[in-house]
Amino acid sequence: MILSSTANIIDDNVYDLRGPLGLNLLYSPSEPLIDFVFVHGLGGGSKKTWSKTSSVTHYWPQAWLPKDPAFKDVRVHSFGYDSDWAKGKENCLNIHHFGKSLLGEMYISPCLRDSHTAIVLIGHSMGGLVIKKAHILARQDAGYQRLVERFHTIFFLATPHRGSDSAKLLNTLLQITNSSRAYVADLERGSNAIQSINDEFRNYSNDINLWSFYETQKLKMGFVSTLIVDPDSATLGYRAEKQMPMNANHRSICKFETPKDPNYITLRNALATIVQSISKLGQKTKEELRHRQIKDLKKYLDVPESLEDDLVNMEDARLSGTCEWFSEKESYQKWSDVASEAPRVLWVSGRPAAGKSVLAGYAIDQLGKTEAGRSYFFFKYGDKSKSQLSSCLRSLAFQMACTSNSVLEKLREMQRDGIKVDNDNERTIWRKVFLSGIFQTRFPTHYWVIDALDECLNITPLFDPMLGGLNESIPLRILITSRETPELKKQLLGLGAHQVQHERISIADTLPDLKLLAELKTKSVSLESAEVRAALVERILGKSEGSFLWTNLILGDLSNSHGEEEIDRALEEMPQHMEPLYSRILETMTQATRGKKLAQAVLTWITCAIRPLTTQELVVALKVDVDDHFPNLKESILAVCGHLVIVDKFDRVQMVHGTARDFLLDESLESEFAIKKTEAHTRIARACLTYLTEEEMKPPRTSRPGSTANIATKRAGFSTYACTAFSYHLAKADPLANDVLMLTNKFLKSNVLSWIEVIAQTQNLVLLIRAAKNLRKYFNSCAAARSPLGAVMQTIRGWTTDFIRIAAKFADALMLSPSAIYSIILPFCPLDSAIRNVANPRRGLSVLGLSNDQWDDRLSCIDFRESPASAISYGDEFFAVGLINGRITTYHVTSCQEFKVMNQGEPVKILQFKSRTGLMASCGMKTIHIWDVYSGEVTHRLHVAQRIINLVFDRSLLIAALSKNYFATWDLNNNCFRQPDRLWSEVAGETNPQQGRMPSAVSISIGHRMLAAAYSGRPIMLWDMNEDLYYGECGKKLANGETSTHMVTALVFNPNPNIELLVTSYLDGDLVLLNPFNDQQVESFRANCHTLAASSDGRLLAGGGGGGTIQVYEFDTLRLLYRVKSSDFFIKQLAFSIDNLRLSDIRGSHCNIWEPALLLRDSIRGDSSEGTSTSVVDAITSETKVKISTDELETEKVIFQSRLNCGDSIIQVLPGEAAGKFILSTRQSDHLWNIDGLQEDTRAYSGKLETRKWIQHHQSMLHMICIQGATAHVYAWKDWSKVMSVNLAVNFMGLQVKSVTQIVSSHQPRILLEMSELDGSPETRALHLLKAVPISVESFPTTEAVSEAAIVEKDDDKLPIPEDNTTEEAVSTPLLALQLATLAPSIAHVIGCQSASQLVYLDIKSWVCSVDLKDLSNGFSAYSRHFFVPYDWFAGIRDIIGAVTQQDVIFARNDNIAIVKSGLTYAEVVSMEMENAPGRSK
C-alpha cells in the first residue's frame, strides 16, 4: 500500500493553499515510465507554489499534466517543507536539512523505491537549491546509488544559484524582528552555503540534464518593483545547460491562468521533450528490465533453460502438410473458440507411436498465430525434469508470466514478499502460484497444451483438486494428449462431460499423414513406375495400423531394398536389422553363467500371457513356476533378459517390441530361449492351477456372508491373473500332461467355489462363460487320448455346464454378493450337478422339496387359464404374449415378471416391438394398436378393411401385409399418416387385385428389401419391395428338377442382410434351406417343423410342430444343434430374445421360456445329441395347488370333496378351525362352508368390485376380518353377521390390497397392508402399517347392537354397513409412513412375519430379506439380506405363496412345497438411507 500526504479539501474547488509537507503522490498511471517531483521555494508550499489561485483547477501538476497525452506514462509527486519565514517558528533548518528531507522521502517512498523509472525534478527558487543539495548528498552516500542513478533531468525555475539580494534584505528584516531563519541566510548572494552547493554540484552534474528558466519581469513588492533572481544568478553557466527566459516574474514563472498560457506552453514543451527522450531510452530499458525480471522469475520457479527445445524438435519432425486434419476437427474448433460453450479440457488420445507429440507441436503452432497466450509442456518418462507434475506446473506458470504483465507482476510480488514455493510439491505450487496468485489476476484467454500426460509419474493431483476445482470464470483452455490408459480415462472423464471432451486419434485420421511420409521416403526406393510406387505406399499404409514407428522402420529397410522380392520380404518380415539384433541378444544371454532359468521363465510368461503382468504378479507366478523367490525382480529381469524385455512406468513387464515376441515364437528358432507355444501354455496353466489349488484360494471356514473379505485382501496380486486366465492357457495346453489334468480335477473339487467368488467380484460373469468354453476345448482335446467316461473327465464335463448355468440363473445374486456361492446358491442347484458334488458341503442352509436332479433348460412356464395364447414377440426390455381373448401381457425379459396388462379388444394375431424404442404394435383381424410399452397406453389405433397377415417396422414406417396382396404403410413420424397402398402379385405381370389369393405363408425381410409369399398350387413368390416389382420364384426341388407347389406352412428369411438364405417348412414335413435369389436348394430333410423363428443375428433357426418338440438348427447349414420336448401341444409360435440367449414358445394356454446352455456359449460346438435335454418339465401354473400353514406341516387327508358351482375361480380360502367353517372367496362372491361340506351362505357383489382379503381375527377365534377397499369389516364365524366396520385412513386410489399380514410391533397388534396396482401388475406399490386397536375385542359394540345389525343384514346380499356399527374413528393414521414408503419400492412380495416384529419379504432382486419394524421408528438405517431365490421359481406367477416358520422359509413351487431350512439364520446387514418415498420405476 502506497502512503502519501493528502490536501485538506475545503470544498469542491478550493483546498488548503499551501499544501502538505513531505512527498505527495498526485497521479500514477498503471505502468509509469517517468517520475516528476515538484519542489517549491522560499515561502511557498507543495500546492501554493504551483497554483495561480486557490481553485484545484489551477493546480497544474495535478489537474493538467495527467490529462495531457504527452505525460500518460508520468507519475507526478510534489514535495513540501517548512519554508514559511513569515509564520513559521524559529528553527535551525537550512537548505542542507531540506535536501536531506527530500532525499529521505524519495528513498522511502514505495513508488520510487521499488521502481526503475527515470526521475525528473522541478524546483522553483530555493527549491532548485534543495534539489541540488539532495543530489549532492545522494552522490556522496553509496546507499542512495540506485536511486540517484535514476536522476535524469533537473528543471530550475528562477533558482538563485548565486544568491539573491532580496534574501539579504529579508534576512536583515528578520533579524530586526528577532525571528531569523537559517535557510534565508543561505540565500544571500555569496553565502557559504550557496558557494559550497555550487562547488560540489559541478562535480556531480555531468550525467544529468539541466534546464534553467529565468524571470524577465520585475516583481512588485509594496512600492518597489525588482527582479528577485537576476538572469546571471538564475543560470549555472554549464556547457550542457539549457537556458530559457520566461516572460514572467518570480511568482508567475510557475503559476499559470490556463493551459494556453504562453509561459505554461514553454515549460510544458520542455517537460514533454524530456519525457519523449526518456521514453525512447526507456523502451530499451524496459525491455532490459523485463528480461531481468523474466530471468529472475525463471530462477525463482526453477524452470530449465531448454524450455523450447522440445517444441523445436516436434516442429522439425513434422512434415509440411501433416496434422492439418486436426484443426478441422469439430472438437478442436469448438475448444479453441473461447466464445463457444465447449468443455474447458480437450483430451486427445491415441495408441503408442500415433504421432501425438507431433500433433501437440502443431496445435501449439496454430495457437501461436492467435492473439491469445499459450503455454505448453512435453512430458517425457525417464527424464526427471520432464516427468513430474510439479515441473509442468512451474513451466506453465512461467510461460503465462511471459505473455501477461499482470501474471508477471503477481509472481514478482510473490517473489518480493518472500513467498517460498516448494518446487517439488505440485499441490503447494497449485495452491500458492495458481489459486492464490495467477488466478487472482485478470489475464486474457490462455491455452495450455500438455503432451504425453500418461508419461507423468504423479497425475492424480491434476484432476479432482486442480482441474476439477477450476472456476468457470478463469479464461483457460487445456489440450491434453496421451495414451488412453484406464487411469487417465477414469480421471479425465470423471470430471464430467461439461469439463472434458474426448477425441480419439483414429487410423483414418493419421492415414493421410502416413501417406505423405511414405510417399516422401519411398522416393529413394528404386521402382519402375509411379503406379508401382503408389501401390507400395498403399501396402505400407495397409500394414502400418497407424504406427509411425513401424512405418519409419519399414521405410528405412525399403530404402536399402532392391527388386520386388526384397521389397516383399521386407514388408512381410520384421524390419531389417531387427532379427540379427535379437539373435545377438540371445547369444549374449546364452553366454551368461547365471540367470538362464529366470530368463527362460520370464520370456515364457511374457510372450504367452494374455496381458502384461506386473512385477508383483510375476514374483508370485515365478515362485509357483520355478519355486524360487526374487526380491528385486525388476533389476533381475533387466539384468538377465538383455534388451528384449522392458518394465514400463506402470511396473508392467513387456517385450520391447511386438517383433521380439514374433522372433521368440518362431518355430525355426534354435535357441535355448526359444518359446514353444504348447509347452509354454502348459507351463503357465500348471502354475495357475497350482496356485488355484493352494492355501490362498481355499474357501473360508465359515460360510457367513462377508466372511471372505479378509481372505481376499490377503491374496497375492497374481490371483486375479490366475483366476481370469487359467482356462485360456488350459485350452491350449498339452492334453497328454497328466499332472495338469489332475490339477484341473483337484481345482474343480476343492477351490472352485472361491474361484467363482473372485470372478463375481470382477462384476464380469462373462468370464464364467469363457471358462466353460475353454474347459470344453480342453475336454475335447483330452477325450481324443483318454476315455471321456472316466471320473475326472466327467467332472470336467459337468463343470462346462455348471459354469454356464450358474452365470445364467444366479448372475444377480453373485454380482450383489459374491460370497453367496458358498452357502446361499449351492442348495438351489440340482442334486446331480457338479457344484453340488463339490468337496465338504457345509452344514446350514438347505432346500427341501426340490425335485430336479439336473439343470433344466426351461426357466419358466406361464399358464393363461382364461384363454389360449396366440402371439409372442421380444423387445429390448420386455416380451409380450397375446391371447385369443384380446389380452396382451408384457413381462420383463430378465426376470419374466409381469409388467403391464393391455387389451386389444379382439383376438391378438401378431405382436411386433420397434427396436430401441418404447413402442409395440399389436393387431387383430382388422385393427392395429400401437402401444407405449412403459405406460401401457394406446398411442394410435389403425383400421384396415382386410385381414393382416404380417407386420414389420421399417425405421419410422409400419408395414402391414394384407390378405388381398397389398402393403399398407403408416408413417409414425407423421402422426401415423397412411401412405398409398401398394399391390404385389403372385405371378409376373398380374395387376388385378381382385384376382389375388390369400397366401398360406408370408415373410418380409427389411434387410433384403424382399417379400416371400407362398400360395397353394404355386412355387414361392418373391417381390422386390424397393422397386415394387415381381422378382421371381423359388422352392423345394422335386426329383424331376421342377419346383414344388406343395402347401407351405412357414417361411423365414435370414435376418442378416449379408446372408441370402430362406428357410421353408412344407406341410408334408420337409424343412428346406433355399438361396431364393438364384432359386437354389441348399438343404432339405424331414423335420415336421410347421412354426419357424430366426435369431436376430442370423445364426440360429428354431422350429416347432404338433409333437411339442422344439429343434434348434444352424441357419446356414440346417445342422441340428439342440432338441427338447415338453408336451404334446401344438407349438403355435416361437421367438428368440433380442440378445439370442433365450427362446420362447406358445402352445395351448402356455408360454414356455427356455434358456439352453447352447445359446449362452460364445460359439456353437458339439453334435446334436450334446445339447439335447432329457428332462420332462410340467407346466408351471399361475396358481399353485399347494396350501401352506405356518403353524405346522403335516400330511393332509381329504375330509370332503365338493364343487363350487359359481363358474368363478377361487382366489382365497380362509379356514376357521374353532368354528369348523371356512370362507371360499372368488372375485364376484364369498361362500361360507362348514366342515361337513355344506354351503351355509353366499354373498354376491355387483357394481365396481373391490378386492377383498379375509383374515382370522387376531384376538378372537370366533371372528374374522375382511379388508374390503378402505374399510375393515369384522364378522362372526357363527352366523356370518357383521359385528363392526372401521374406516382405514389409507389412500386406495389406483391400488388394491395384495396381502394382509398381522404382526406385533411395540407390543401392540398391527395390520400390514401390502398394496398392488388396481387390476394391473402384481408388483408391490405401497405398504401401510395400521393399528389394530379399533377392531380389537374391546372395541366391539354391545350385544344388542350386534344382534340388531345381524337382523338388519340377514337378507341383504349387498352388505350395507349400519351407521350405528361403523366406527367413525379410522384404524389410525398409518404408522411409519415415510419409512414404509421408502421400503415398498424394493419389495416384490411380503412373505410373512417372524418373531413378532420382523417383516420377511422377497425383494425385487429375488432376495429374501427382513427388517425389524421396531428399528423403523428409530431411523431405519439397515435391513438384513438372507438368501437368493432363483428367478424361475416365481417366473410368471402372479400370486406368490410363502410363509415363515421360525428360521425357515416355505414357498409353493409348482405342485410342491420348497422349504428353505435355516434360511433366516444367514443375514448380511445392508445399509439403506432414508429418502422421501420414491416411486417404483416403470
Side-chain angles (χ1 to χ4, degrees):
M1 182 177 180
I2 300 175
L3 301 177
S4 64
S5 302
T6 57
N8 297 320
I9 304 299
I10 298 174
D11 56 37
D12 290 344
N13 295 308
V14 181
Y15 56 88
D16 179 12
L17 185 58
R18 190 169 298 279
L21 303 178
L23 190 67
N24 306 282
L25 178 64
L26 305 183
Y27 170 72
S28 179
S30 58
E31 295 184 7
L33 297 177
I34 304 167
D35 278 286
F36 279 4
V37 180
F38 290 86
V39 182
H40 64 83
L42 180 65
S46 60
K47 293 183 180 180
K48 173 185 176 183
T49 297
W50 315 103
S51 301
K52 178 77 172 179
T53 68
S54 60
S55 173
V56 294
T57 59
H58 279 141
Y59 185 22
W60 63 271
Q62 185 178 45
W64 298 353
L65 289 184
K67 297 177 181 179
D68 192 328
F71 305 99
K72 62 183 179 62
D73 297 323
V74 177
R75 184 163 49 198
V76 183
H77 312 262
S78 69
F79 176 71
Y81 56 95
D82 187 7
S83 65
D84 190 353
W85 52 269
K87 297 182 179 179
K89 296 180 181 180
E90 185 175 356
N91 54 55
C92 64
L93 295 175
N94 55 23
I95 293 176
H96 179 85
H97 295 130
F98 294 150
K100 288 180 67 176
S101 176
L102 172 61
L103 180 61
E105 289 278 354
M106 293 173 64
Y107 181 75
I108 65 174
S109 168
C111 293
L112 296 173
R113 180 189 63 210
D114 299 330
S115 181
H116 296 278
T117 57
I119 299 175
V120 176
L121 298 113
I122 304 99
H124 174 248
S125 189
M126 188 176 71
L129 299 178
V130 172
I131 292 173
K132 289 168 66 177
K133 189 62 181 179
H135 180 71
I136 293 168
L137 293 173
R139 287 288 189 174
Q140 294 173 344
D141 190 337
Y144 297 106
Q145 182 177 355
R146 291 189 61 185
L147 177 66
V148 77
E149 286 176 351
R150 294 161 53 198
F151 284 14
H152 184 274
T153 302
I154 300 176
F155 283 85
F156 297 108
L157 305 181
T159 297
H161 297 291
R162 297 175 180 83
S164 172
D165 294 333
S166 299
K168 182 177 180 181
L169 175 62
L170 177 60
N171 189 40
T172 301
L173 293 173
L174 291 175
Q175 289 177 352
I176 295 174
T177 59
N178 296 320
S179 58
S180 61
R181 303 286 188 270
Y183 53 81
V184 175
D186 288 346
L187 292 177
E188 292 183 14
R189 188 179 296 273
S191 68
N192 292 333
I194 286 182
Q195 289 181 11
S196 175
I197 290 173
N198 288 336
D199 292 341
E200 293 179 351
F201 184 72
R202 183 180 301 275
N203 298 326
Y204 301 120
S205 62
N206 292 332
D207 57 351
I208 194 167
N209 294 305
L210 301 173
W211 289 66
S212 296
F213 294 79
Y214 55 89
E215 60 202 69
T216 60
Q217 294 181 359
K218 295 181 179 181
L219 177 66
K220 187 176 182 179
M221 300 178 63
F223 300 101
V224 179
S225 296
T226 183
L227 288 175
I228 302 300
V229 179
D230 58 64
D232 181 61
S233 181
T235 57
L236 292 167
Y238 296 171
R239 179 180 301 178
E241 177 189 19
K242 297 178 180 58
Q243 300 179 1
M244 296 286 292
M246 295 283 281
N247 189 24
N249 58 33
H250 191 71
R251 289 180 179 172
S252 61
I253 199 171
C254 58
K255 303 174 188 286
F256 314 104
E257 184 69 33
T258 67
K260 295 181 180 181
D261 188 315
N263 289 325
Y264 173 75
I265 294 175
T266 300
L267 179 58
R268 179 261 178 208
N269 291 342
L271 292 171
T273 300
I274 290 301
V275 168
Q276 185 178 13
S277 174
I278 294 175
S279 296
K280 291 180 180 179
L281 180 64
Q283 186 63 33
K284 182 179 179 181
T285 305
K286 185 176 181 181
E287 292 174 359
E288 294 175 350
L289 173 63
R290 181 176 178 82
H291 178 74
R292 290 197 303 270
Q293 292 173 341
I294 292 295
K295 188 175 181 180
D296 291 344
L297 183 62
K298 179 180 285 189
K299 184 177 181 181
Y300 175 62
L301 293 176
D302 192 21
V303 177
E305 293 292 335
S306 58
L307 181 63
E308 297 183 355
D309 290 356
D310 291 323
L311 179 59
V312 172
N313 291 336
M314 292 304 107
E315 290 175 343
D316 292 343
R318 185 172 70 87
L319 292 177
S320 177
T322 59
C323 298
E324 293 178 355
W325 56 268
F326 184 59
S327 59
E328 298 174 1
K329 287 278 187 180
E330 182 182 3
S331 58
Y332 174 79
Q333 291 177 349
K334 288 184 177 180
W335 171 83
S336 59
D337 181 8
V338 295
S340 70
E341 296 182 356
R344 180 194 302 276
V345 179
L346 175 60
W347 176 33
V348 180
S349 66
R351 299 181 303 172
K356 299 182 293 297
S357 295
V358 174
L359 186 67
Y362 171 77
I364 295 168
D365 180 63
Q366 292 297 108
L367 294 171
K369 298 176 182 178
T370 67
E371 296 181 357
R374 91 279 195 267
S375 305
Y376 56 86
F377 190 83
F378 291 84
F379 279 103
K380 187 175 182 181
Y381 182 75
D383 186 337
K384 184 177 180 181
S385 65
K386 298 178 182 178
S387 60
Q388 300 289 338
L389 181 58
S390 57
S391 301
C392 172
L393 294 176
R394 286 185 276 108
S395 177
L396 295 174
F398 172 73
Q399 293 176 73
M400 291 184 74
C402 292
T403 60
S404 171
N405 288 329
S406 60
V407 173
L408 175 61
E409 187 56 36
K410 186 64 178 180
L411 295 181
R412 289 189 63 246
E413 180 184 327
M414 292 172 54
Q415 187 179 6
R416 289 193 301 267
D417 292 344
I419 296 177
K420 300 293 184 182
V421 177
D422 187 348
N423 290 334
D424 292 327
N425 190 318
E426 58 278 350
R427 297 179 185 272
T428 301
I429 295 171
W430 182 258
R431 186 178 68 255
K432 291 185 178 181
V433 176
F434 288 94
L435 295 182
S436 301
I438 295 175
F439 295 157
Q440 298 301 316
T441 69
R442 286 192 173 185
F443 60 89
T445 300
H446 200 90
Y447 296 93
W448 285 356
V449 178
I450 302 175
D451 176 62
L453 184 59
D454 54 298
E455 298 190 30
C456 175
L457 295 178
N458 53 336
I459 60 173
T460 303
L462 176 64
F463 300 103
D464 187 37
M466 295 185 186
L467 297 185
L470 280 180
N471 191 290
E472 293 182 0
S473 63
I474 298 174
L476 182 64
R477 293 287 173 101
I478 305 170
L479 173 66
I480 295 174
T481 68
S482 74
R483 289 183 298 157
E484 189 175 332
T485 65
E487 181 182 5
L488 272 175
K489 185 175 182 180
K490 176 183 177 182
Q491 296 282 11
L492 278 166
L493 299 186
L495 296 175
H498 66 289
Q499 283 271 50
V500 178
Q501 184 176 3
H502 188 192
E503 180 72 48
R504 289 184 176 89
I505 301 175
S506 66
I507 295 177
D509 290 331
T510 57
L511 201 60
D513 295 350
L514 285 167
K515 187 174 184 179
L516 281 175
L517 175 64
E519 288 174 342
L520 177 65
K521 294 198 174 184
T522 52
K523 290 179 180 180
S524 62
V525 182
S526 299
L527 298 170
E528 63 184 34
S529 66
E531 290 76 13
V532 175
R533 193 180 310 280
L536 175 60
V537 169
E538 291 302 319
R539 289 181 65 187
I540 294 172
L541 295 180
K543 290 178 173 292
S544 68
E545 297 183 358
S547 172
F548 282 89
L549 174 63
W550 182 90
T551 304
N552 272 308
L553 288 172
I554 286 296
L555 288 170
D557 284 354
L558 289 176
S559 64
N560 298 316
S561 299
H562 305 280
E564 294 182 0
E565 185 177 347
E566 287 188 3
I567 292 174
D568 291 340
R569 189 182 305 116
L571 288 172
E572 294 302 325
E573 298 176 354
M574 68 180 65
Q576 190 178 9
H577 305 305
M578 298 290 285
E579 188 169 330
L581 172 64
Y582 294 148
S583 297
R584 286 196 300 270
I585 293 174
L586 291 187
E587 289 177 7
T588 303
M589 293 170 61
T590 302
Q591 295 169 4
T593 57
R594 297 182 180 181
K596 291 184 179 181
K597 182 179 180 182
L598 173 61
Q600 290 170 339
V602 169
L603 292 177
T604 297
W605 280 89
I606 297 174
T607 53
C608 294
I610 63 174
R611 64 166 174 80
L613 280 77
T614 65
T615 54
Q616 292 84 358
E617 290 176 319
L618 203 53
V619 164
V620 180
L622 294 174
K623 172 64 178 173
V624 178
D625 184 14
V626 300
D627 193 23
D628 199 355
H629 179 64
F630 303 93
N632 296 311
L633 183 61
K634 181 176 180 179
E635 290 76 8
S636 300
I637 289 174
L638 297 177
V640 303
C641 293
H643 298 287
L644 290 176
V645 178
I646 61 171
V647 180
D648 67 13
K649 61 182 178 179
F650 298 107
D651 209 31
R652 296 179 303 196
V653 186
Q654 301 187 71
M655 301 303 295
V656 68
H657 192 267
T659 53
R661 177 180 288 102
D662 297 338
F663 175 76
L664 291 175
L665 291 173
D666 189 346
E667 294 181 357
S668 63
L669 177 63
E670 296 182 0
S671 170
E672 61 183 309
F673 298 105
I675 306 298
K676 307 301 180 184
K677 288 185 180 180
T678 301
E679 293 178 6
H681 286 295
T682 304
R683 180 175 184 170
I684 297 175
R686 182 184 294 112
C688 290
L689 287 167
T690 300
Y691 176 82
L692 293 176
T693 55
E694 288 182 344
E695 190 71 25
E696 276 193 9
M697 287 298 296
K698 278 191 176 181
R701 294 182 178 179
T702 174
S703 56
R704 300 244 173 212
S707 60
T708 61
N710 293 331
I711 295 178
T713 58
K714 296 178 181 178
R715 287 175 182 151
F718 176 66
S719 65
T720 301
Y721 184 85
C723 288
T724 56
F726 90 91
S727 68
Y728 168 81
H729 298 293
L730 185 63
K732 297 177 179 292
D734 183 0
L736 299 179
N738 288 324
D739 62 331
V740 175
L741 180 67
M742 292 300 103
L743 281 170
T744 304
N745 182 60
K746 180 180 178 181
F747 162 65
L748 295 176
K749 286 188 173 181
S750 58
N751 296 350
V752 66
L753 296 186
S754 55
W755 172 78
I756 294 175
E757 179 192 27
V758 172
I759 297 301
Q761 288 169 346
T762 69
Q763 299 292 292
N764 182 15
L765 295 186
V766 173
L767 295 172
L768 279 177
I769 307 298
R770 192 173 299 158
K773 174 184 174 182
N774 290 327
L775 209 57
R776 168 66 65 180
K777 289 181 180 178
Y778 181 65
F779 173 84
N780 291 337
S781 298
C782 292
R786 50 177 59 85
S787 172
L789 301 179
V792 174
M793 294 291 286
Q794 286 302 304
T795 297
I796 296 175
R797 183 171 187 171
W799 278 105
T800 63
T801 299
D802 281 20
F803 286 157
I804 294 173
R805 297 321 240 153
I806 290 168
K809 287 184 177 289
F810 304 105
D812 288 349
L814 285 172
M815 300 278 272
L816 190 63
S817 179
S819 62
I821 189 64
Y822 296 110
S823 58
I824 297 176
I825 289 176
L826 201 64
F828 291 91
C829 299
L831 295 175
D832 291 341
S833 62
I835 191 173
R836 288 296 291 267
N837 295 319
V838 75
N840 300 323
R842 296 191 178 91
R843 296 176 55 192
L845 185 146
S846 61
V847 181
L848 306 180
L850 292 182
S851 59
N852 55 318
D853 294 332
Q854 296 179 348
W855 294 107
D856 186 2
D857 286 347
R858 185 170 67 176
L859 287 183
S860 177
C861 176
I862 305 173
D863 183 8
F864 307 98
R865 288 191 172 186
E866 68 271 28
S867 174
S870 55
I872 185 171
S873 180
Y874 268 92
D876 299 310
E877 298 180 54
F878 309 99
F879 70 93
V881 180
L883 307 181
I884 293 295
N885 66 1
R887 174 180 166 179
I888 302 171
T889 307
T890 55
Y891 300 86
H892 292 279
V893 168
T894 53
S895 65
C896 301
Q897 290 295 313
E898 181 182 309
F899 180 67
K900 290 287 182 183
V901 177
M902 299 162 278
N903 201 302
Q904 174 73 19
E906 59 178 336
V908 181
K909 296 297 182 183
I910 303 173
L911 293 171
Q912 187 70 45
F913 282 89
K914 190 174 189 301
S915 63
R916 293 183 292 276
T917 69
L919 297 180
M920 178 187 71
S922 66
C923 74
M925 294 297 291
K926 296 181 180 180
T927 304
I928 299 175
H929 289 174
I930 300 179
W931 304 87
D932 182 321
V933 178
Y934 296 100
S935 67
E937 301 294 330
V938 175
T939 61
H940 294 90
R941 188 174 284 106
L942 313 173
H943 298 278
V944 291
Q946 302 175 29
R947 181 179 174 183
I948 303 165
I949 55 176
N950 206 335
L951 195 66
V952 293
F953 283 102
D954 180 12
R955 295 183 292 274
S956 64
L957 302 178
L958 176 64
I959 302 175
L962 306 181
S963 60
K964 294 298 184 181
N965 300 345
Y966 276 99
F967 289 119
T969 306
W970 293 268
D971 187 349
L972 275 64
N973 288 344
N974 191 16
N975 198 30
C976 279
F977 171 77
R978 182 168 179 173
Q979 299 180 352
D981 291 348
R982 296 178 294 152
L983 169 71
W984 82 77
S985 302
E986 62 178 282
V987 294
E990 183 177 276
T991 59
N992 186 356
Q994 299 299 326
Q995 302 300 318
R997 298 179 298 157
M998 179 174 171
S1000 61
V1002 168
S1003 178
I1004 299 176
S1005 173
I1006 296 300
H1008 297 99
R1009 311 303 298 174
M1010 194 68 64
L1011 163 79
Y1015 296 88
S1016 177
R1018 294 196 59 82
I1020 299 169
M1021 182 276 299
L1022 298 176
W1023 185 266
D1024 189 327
M1025 296 176 64
N1026 270 346
E1027 303 295 333
D1028 269 343
L1029 291 175
Y1030 176 85
Y1031 185 88
E1033 296 179 342
C1034 65
K1036 178 176 67 172
K1037 303 307 174 186
L1038 302 178
N1040 59 7
E1042 295 182 356
T1043 302
S1044 172
T1045 59
H1046 294 167
M1047 175 69 76
V1048 174
T1049 59
L1051 295 166
V1052 60
F1053 277 102
N1054 192 295
N1056 188 334
N1058 297 317
I1059 303 177
E1060 297 180 339
L1061 295 175
L1062 173 73
V1063 174
T1064 305
S1065 173
Y1066 286 85
L1067 185 61
D1068 61 6
D1070 283 352
L1071 187 67
V1072 182
L1073 178 65
L1074 301 170
N1075 184 330
F1077 300 100
N1078 56 19
D1079 191 19
Q1080 287 184 348
Q1081 177 177 303
V1082 180
E1083 185 61 76
S1084 175
F1085 56 86
R1086 186 61 57 89
N1088 293 315
C1089 295
H1090 302 306
T1091 301
L1092 301 175
S1095 62
S1096 61
D1097 57 6
R1099 289 193 309 114
L1100 302 175
L1101 172 78
T1109 300
I1110 297 176
Q1111 299 173 116
V1112 178
Y1113 303 90
E1114 212 169 40
F1115 198 109
D1116 55 354
T1117 65
L1118 288 190
R1119 181 168 63 95
L1120 182 61
L1121 302 171
Y1122 175 81
R1123 178 172 51 233
V1124 65
K1125 181 175 181 179
S1126 175
S1127 65
D1128 293 332
F1129 283 105
F1130 177 83
I1131 298 174
K1132 182 172 179 58
Q1133 190 178 347
L1134 294 161
F1136 281 94
S1137 61
I1138 297 299
D1139 59 9
N1140 304 312
L1141 297 181
R1142 291 182 180 176
L1143 173 66
S1144 296
D1145 73 75
I1146 53 174
R1147 60 181 88 186
S1149 61
H1150 298 119
C1151 172
N1152 296 305
I1153 296 93
W1154 305 92
E1155 192 173 59
L1158 167 82
L1159 302 185
L1160 293 168
R1161 298 194 181 107
D1162 291 342
S1163 60
I1164 304 170
R1165 296 189 180 274
D1167 55 25
S1168 61
S1169 62
E1170 178 185 322
T1172 302
S1173 171
T1174 59
S1175 61
V1176 178
V1177 183
D1178 294 329
I1180 301 174
T1181 59
S1182 59
E1183 294 177 13
T1184 182
K1185 303 173 184 177
V1186 177
K1187 182 188 76 173
I1188 294 179
S1189 170
T1190 60
D1191 297 326
E1192 58 181 350
L1193 296 173
E1194 58 181 17
T1195 303
E1196 297 184 2
K1197 63 179 181 179
V1198 177
I1199 299 177
F1200 74 88
Q1201 184 173 350
S1202 184
R1203 181 179 180 85
L1204 186 64
N1205 295 316
C1206 66
D1208 299 322
S1209 299
I1210 298 174
I1211 60 175
Q1212 186 184 2
V1213 178
L1214 176 68
E1217 297 182 10
K1221 299 180 181 183
F1222 57 92
I1223 291 286
L1224 295 178
S1225 181
T1226 71
R1227 180 70 169 165
Q1228 290 81 17
S1229 59
D1230 291 323
H1231 307 264
L1232 180 65
W1233 288 65
N1234 61 35
I1235 203 67
D1236 297 325
L1238 298 177
Q1239 179 171 290
E1240 294 187 356
D1241 201 353
T1242 299
R1243 296 181 180 179
Y1245 303 87
S1246 60
K1248 184 177 180 181
L1249 299 178
E1250 296 178 310
T1251 302
R1252 304 178 309 284
K1253 292 292 180 181
W1254 293 87
I1255 58 174
Q1256 178 64 48
H1257 197 283
H1258 56 283
Q1259 288 180 309
S1260 173
M1261 297 297 293
L1262 301 178
H1263 295 83
M1264 53 186 162
I1265 303 171
C1266 177
I1267 306 296
Q1268 182 178 9
T1271 307
H1273 304 287
V1274 180
Y1275 294 94
W1277 275 110
K1278 179 180 179 181
D1279 54 3
W1280 209 359
S1281 60
K1282 183 184 296 185
V1283 177
M1284 66 182 303
S1285 297
V1286 178
N1287 295 327
L1288 308 179
V1290 175
N1291 183 5
F1292 275 71
M1293 184 67 68
L1295 301 175
Q1296 63 186 16
V1297 178
K1298 177 181 176 183
S1299 71
V1300 182
T1301 304
Q1302 298 188 72
I1303 61 177
V1304 176
S1305 178
S1306 301
H1307 306 291
Q1308 295 294 325
R1310 304 280 191 259
I1311 294 178
L1312 181 72
L1313 300 184
E1314 181 185 14
M1315 314 296 288
S1316 63
E1317 185 178 323
L1318 181 62
D1319 297 328
S1321 169
E1323 294 180 352
T1324 301
R1325 298 297 186 192
L1327 294 175
H1328 297 291
L1329 184 65
L1330 308 172
K1331 289 182 179 180
V1333 173
I1335 53 175
S1336 62
V1337 174
E1338 294 79 4
S1339 302
F1340 283 2
T1342 61
T1343 303
E1344 293 78 8
V1346 174
S1347 301
E1348 182 180 352
I1351 295 172
V1352 171
E1353 297 174 0
K1354 184 176 181 179
D1355 299 319
D1356 193 346
D1357 289 341
K1358 300 301 184 291
L1359 296 177
I1361 301 174
E1363 293 183 1
D1364 55 340
N1365 282 6
T1366 301
T1367 305
E1368 293 298 333
E1369 178 191 2
V1371 169
S1372 73
T1373 300
L1375 305 172
L1376 306 174
L1378 178 60
Q1379 294 90 330
L1380 292 175
T1382 304
L1383 180 64
S1386 64
I1387 293 180
H1389 181 76
V1390 172
I1391 299 172
C1393 197
Q1394 195 263 347
S1395 67
S1397 63
Q1398 186 179 12
L1399 179 66
V1400 182
Y1401 61 90
L1402 184 73
D1403 76 358
I1404 58 176
K1405 294 182 179 179
S1406 205
W1407 282 82
V1408 171
C1409 305
S1410 67
V1411 63
D1412 196 326
L1413 296 180
K1414 292 186 297 184
D1415 294 339
L1416 290 180
S1417 58
N1418 297 325
F1420 182 57
S1421 59
Y1423 65 94
S1424 296
R1425 191 162 56 208
H1426 301 287
F1427 61 88
F1428 177 82
V1429 182
Y1431 283 120
D1432 61 297
W1433 274 36
F1434 307 121
I1437 296 178
R1438 186 176 183 88
D1439 297 315
I1440 298 173
I1441 298 178
V1444 181
T1445 170
Q1446 297 180 353
Q1447 295 297 316
D1448 303 337
V1449 181
I1450 309 166
F1451 291 108
R1453 182 169 184 252
N1454 302 339
D1455 292 337
N1456 301 314
I1457 292 178
I1459 306 173
V1460 183
K1461 297 289 292 182
S1462 304
L1464 300 182
T1465 302
Y1466 300 86
E1468 180 181 3
V1469 178
V1470 181
S1471 297
M1472 188 172 183
E1473 296 181 359
M1474 287 295 299
E1475 299 176 356
N1476 291 332
R1480 186 191 296 268
S1481 62
K1482 297 185 180 181

